[in-house]
Amino acid sequence: MDFTKSDNLVKDVRVATKDGTAHTQSSLLLSARSHHSQQAAKYVRPRGLVVAIGLPAGAYLRAPVFESVIKMITIKGFCIGNPQGHF
């Protein structure tokens, strides 16, 4: 799903699932913007996984605490790229 072409990403992801209202099992985030991690926590299913790839130094992942805890969402982040981005 391309977030740049969506007006309501959470709704679009749910519509794209099998029955049109479900949640995804996992989400790969390729953007370091905190708004996108907040959205991913809303459309991933209970016990789902959100993985942020290519986080730059100083980036923040933000997610709604209550919803993330109740749904038992796992959030992981990886710094991948050139060595300058790791320090």
Side-chain angles (χ1 to χ4, degrees):
M1 188 72 49
D2 186 351
F3 71 90
T4 63
K5 297 178 183 177
S6 174
D7 293 327
N8 186 338
L9 187 63
V10 174
K11 179 182 176 187
D12 291 345
V13 169
R14 289 182 178 174
V15 168
T17 59
K18 187 174 182 178
D19 68 0
T21 60
H23 303 252
T24 62
Q25 181 172 343
S26 61
S27 176
L28 296 177
L29 299 177
L30 303 176
S31 169
R33 295 177 62 192
S34 63
H35 177 68
H36 299 137
S37 58
Q38 291 172 345
Q39 288 179 321
K42 292 182 179 181
Y43 63 69
V44 74
R45 73 177 188 165
R47 296 184 186 255
L49 173 66
V50 176
V51 180
I53 299 173
L55 294 172
Y60 289 93
L61 286 175
R62 299 182 196 272
V65 174
F66 182 75
E67 189 170 3
S68 299
V69 171
I70 295 298
K71 290 171 62 178
M72 295 184 282
I73 296 170
T74 300
I75 301 174
K76 295 185 177 196
F78 294 96
C79 294
I80 299 175
N82 62 35
Q84 289 83 14
H86 294 225
F87 301 105

